Amino acid sequence: MDDPWSLVAAEAGCFAAEVARGPVSRGIETAALRARVELLAAGFVEPRPLPEVLAELGAMMRAAGVQAEHPRHFGFFNPAVLPEAALGAALAGIYNPQLAIHDYAPFAAEIEGATLRLLMERIGYDPDQATACFTTGGAEANLSAVLAALARACPRWLEEGLRGLDRPPMIYLSQAGHDSFAKLVRIAGLGRSALRTIAVDRDQRLRLDRLAERMRRDRELGRLPLVVVGTAGSTAAGAIDPLTELSDLAREFGAWFHVDAAWGGTALLSERLAPALDGIAAADSVTWDAHKWLAVPMGAGMFFCRHPDAVARAFSVRAGLATGLGDRGVDPFLTTMQWSRRFAGLPLFLALTTRGLAGYGAMIDRQADLGERLRELLRAAGFELVNATPLPTVCFSHPAIESGAIKAGALARAVADSGAAFITAVRLHEPEREVLRACITGRSTAEEDLRILVEALGRALMN
Ligand SMILES: *Cc1c(COP(=O)(O)O)cnc(C)c1O
């Protein structure tokens, strides 16, 4: 058999060029797809040679669905992955260090620690006074924040669970905040009614007056304002809530202040964009995904917290897992939701050490510039810009959408069907309406790609 790694290297070598040559997205009948999978799955009974299976797999991966690697992928924050980060993910799989226990994988644990400490400094945390861990993604990081807040505010919760709480705990999030909170209130056992969705202004930013009013009312009703969430880079429109004011308000009510910066957090690596996140240093905890704007493969979120004691209370358990090797650092399983886990920090470490902070900053600034350029091109082509953010997420509409002649979703689909570019439709809340959204997520996206997108939009409007 051929060396399997040379097969992977060959695939990786032509991957980006192959993807750029094809359409950015392709819908395929599920029935047709299942038939192809069944052919491959025949190998369950009659094993097939690896080169054959790999060739078929690669072809199908490129043929079906949305290609985030494509320079004209302007969809949700699923970026083209940096090659060195993909390599890091492969190495993590090959070495497969066990990151539950420090002694088992001390070098891997220290690499993750160094990476997280660097980013803690960017947030404005003192790395010696804070704690951080890699998570599976932003959803887990947001859940971790709520559990740490519960551990700090309600010591009896640790022993008695929700039965031990005197007052129902409430979580406050803007309408534009992420839907993972709707799920995590169930996972945490708090239930749907614990989540207070606060109205936004015309820039899709949380309204402070509404939040203050809601928390006051909840307190009068005997409820406990537990967590105030500020979104720094909303998923739909890149809106950044007023973080400093939110943190003051949270403090006034004795609530935990969490910043969900799942994709927007990466703006902290740009001298130019970082000021837009002023106030984040005052957060009790922060969610920041490496697998979004930091462009590493999925399965790499991060959770940062200024209260190591609260995190330890939420997650530590006594387990007889000592190996007796060396001097032990802190075992990662004591400070996260996970137990056995992947070396999630290696892809980011490799990208940061080979690109440097400055290299990352330049990449982000370039994408922000392209966002500005796209705004100019859209305006010149008769589109209306409907969001305000320094981040490269561009929401826009058109007189034909506003008049009801065509729906934003239909237009996004027509552009995708043309194969020229991929954009999405999103719902904004103030005013409530569906608009188009194009987000710059690719490192190979160039100005020419923006022009092709705007032309594709023009053609779709005429049909
Ligand atoms: C993507 C996103 C999340 C969820 O993160 P996952 O990594 O998908 O779990 C949470 N909040 C915001 C603002 C996001 O954009």
Side-chain angles (χ1 to χ4, degrees):
M1 186 175 75
D2 290 329
D3 164 25
W5 289 107
S6 67
L7 297 172
V8 174
E11 181 87 19
C14 67
F15 165 68
E18 284 273 322
V19 167
R21 260 199 296 277
V24 51
S25 64
R26 195 183 284 166
I28 289 195
E29 297 282 330
T30 302
L33 215 51
R34 289 211 176 124
R36 300 294 288 267
V37 173
E38 256 169 49
L39 284 178
L40 279 172
F44 293 162
V45 179
E46 299 221 13
R48 296 170 52 188
L50 183 61
E52 238 180 80
V53 177
L54 277 180
E56 168 83 1
L57 201 73
M60 288 309 290
M61 288 300 288
R62 290 192 295 270
V66 180
Q67 303 297 332
E69 175 67 28
H70 199 287
R72 287 188 296 283
H73 169 254
F74 300 107
F76 289 117
F77 229 100
N78 172 202
V81 159
L82 301 171
E84 65 273 26
L87 199 80
L91 284 174
I94 294 166
Y95 285 102
N96 204 30
Q98 169 55 281
L99 266 155
I101 308 167
H102 187 276
D103 263 9
Y104 246 86
F107 185 61
E110 293 302 322
I111 281 194
E112 288 198 343
T115 308
L116 293 167
R117 276 196 299 279
L118 173 82
L119 300 183
M120 279 193 226
E121 281 168 6
R122 303 307 289 200
I123 291 171
Y125 282 2
D126 174 353
D128 293 331
Q129 305 289 322
T131 182
C133 62
F134 281 93
T135 63
T136 50
E140 183 193 325
N142 285 340
L143 174 58
S144 301
V146 169
L147 298 180
L150 274 168
R152 187 181 69 162
C154 318
R156 279 172 56 202
W157 167 73
L158 295 169
E159 201 49 45
E160 297 165 40
L162 298 176
R163 290 183 309 274
L165 305 187
D166 311 325
R167 295 187 286 162
M170 311 305 284
I171 297 171
Y172 305 84
L173 173 80
S174 96
Q175 280 177 307
H178 196 265
D179 292 324
S180 56
F181 283 92
K183 201 190 268 193
L184 74 83
V185 287
R186 276 181 255 155
I187 299 171
L190 300 171
R192 176 70 191 85
S193 62
L195 190 61
R196 296 294 197 209
T197 313
I198 310 297
V200 292
D201 63 19
R202 289 186 68 91
D203 287 336
Q204 317 299 314
R205 287 153 45 105
L206 184 145
R207 280 186 55 177
L208 295 163
D209 57 337
R210 293 293 182 84
L211 173 65
E213 193 183 300
R214 188 75 246 197
M215 287 204 287
R216 214 167 291 127
R217 191 140 27 102
D218 277 341
R219 205 161 55 179
E220 282 161 19
L221 290 169
R223 300 182 175 129
L224 172 72
L226 179 74
V227 178
V228 170
V229 180
T231 304
S234 66
T235 311
I240 301 169
D241 287 339
L243 303 181
T244 302
E245 292 83 350
L246 276 177
S247 111
D248 291 344
L249 207 49
R251 192 142 306 128
E252 183 188 328
F253 283 83
W256 180 285
F257 179 43
H258 176 69
V259 173
D260 181 359
W263 78 264
T266 297
L268 293 171
L269 301 191
S270 151
E271 300 289 328
R272 210 169 82 206
L273 297 180
L277 268 60
D278 271 355
I280 195 170
D284 294 295
S285 55
V286 173
T287 286
W288 180 357
D289 272 353
H291 65 209
K292 288 206 175 143
W293 208 0
L294 287 166
V296 311
M298 269 180 277
M302 297 178 287
F303 173 61
F304 299 88
C305 182
R306 272 200 298 124
H307 307 287
D309 48 336
V311 171
R313 246 181 278 151
F315 298 126
S316 75
V317 289
R318 292 228 302 195
L321 291 175
T323 61
L325 295 165
D327 58 333
R328 307 183 67 182
V330 175
D331 288 334
F333 83 93
L334 295 173
T335 56
T336 85
M337 282 178 48
Q338 297 183 59
W339 206 282
S340 298
R341 74 168 171 84
R342 234 164 33 86
F343 190 1
L346 184 57
L348 181 57
F349 180 81
L350 271 184
L352 275 166
T353 48
T354 54
R355 229 156 251 268
L357 278 170
Y360 254 119
M363 180 178 88
I364 289 150
D365 285 345
R366 191 175 158 277
Q367 294 183 1
D369 288 341
L370 285 172
E372 282 307 317
R373 185 73 189 117
L374 179 58
R375 289 183 181 100
E376 289 166 17
L377 290 172
L378 285 169
R379 213 182 286 121
F383 290 89
E384 175 206 359
L385 303 176
V386 300
N387 71 325
T389 175
L391 309 180
T393 300
V394 183
C395 295
F396 56 101
S397 188
H398 188 274
I401 296 174
E402 296 302 310
S403 72
I406 183 165
K407 284 200 163 26
L411 203 54
R413 221 163 19 252
V415 169
D417 288 347
S418 78
F422 185 82
I423 58 170
T424 57
V426 287
R427 177 171 301 285
L428 298 187
H429 294 280
E430 187 52 45
E432 187 86 31
R433 59 173 165 173
E434 202 170 70
V435 299
L436 292 166
R437 172 190 188 274
C439 189
I440 315 282
T441 63
R443 71 186 178 289
S444 62
T445 301
E447 195 164 326
E448 180 57 19
D449 296 306
L450 307 180
R451 252 184 231 110
I452 295 173
L453 164 63
V454 176
E455 280 165 22
L457 277 161
R459 275 197 307 277
L461 271 169
M462 287 199 303
N463 291 332

